[in-house]
Amino acid sequence: AAGAEAPARAARLLALIHRRQEGFRTRALAQAAEGRLADAEALARLDAMRWLRRAAYHLHRIEHHLGAMRRGAAPASAGREAARDVLED
């Protein structure tokens, strides 16, 4: 079923963003250092990438919890979830 594929897709998206984040950051900072990109633009791009990663992470977690609920499992407590979010960001 299409719903069963959603958690795997969300996990792949998060992994893809995570893999590309460092290269993106390095390129943006190098372009700013070389004067090819304004400092403000470089910071805006870095902020956008961090936002994208956080959004993908939340999508991944939502899919995880929906899957757990479909299987009848109780979701993680709010405290445990918040701790995992901080450790992974």
Side-chain angles (χ1 to χ4, degrees):
E5 297 171 8
R9 278 197 317 264
R12 285 193 309 271
L13 175 63
L14 179 60
L16 174 67
I17 291 169
H18 184 73
R19 284 192 310 269
R20 295 196 176 175
Q21 185 175 12
E22 189 58 34
F24 181 86
R25 179 181 179 279
T26 300
R27 282 189 303 280
L29 292 176
Q31 289 173 349
E34 295 165 359
R36 295 186 295 137
L37 186 64
D39 292 348
E41 178 63 22
L43 291 175
R45 289 181 184 189
L46 296 176
D47 285 344
M49 179 55 87
R50 280 190 296 271
W51 179 89
L52 182 61
R53 183 168 185 263
R54 280 193 307 271
Y57 173 76
H58 289 299
L59 174 64
H60 170 69
R61 296 307 300 160
I62 288 167
E63 288 295 344
H64 169 79
H65 288 296
L66 286 173
M69 289 171 51
R70 286 184 196 109
R71 292 186 307 275
S77 69
R80 278 188 51 216
E81 186 64 25
R84 290 175 67 175
D85 189 26
V86 168
L87 290 173
E88 291 184 7
D89 194 15

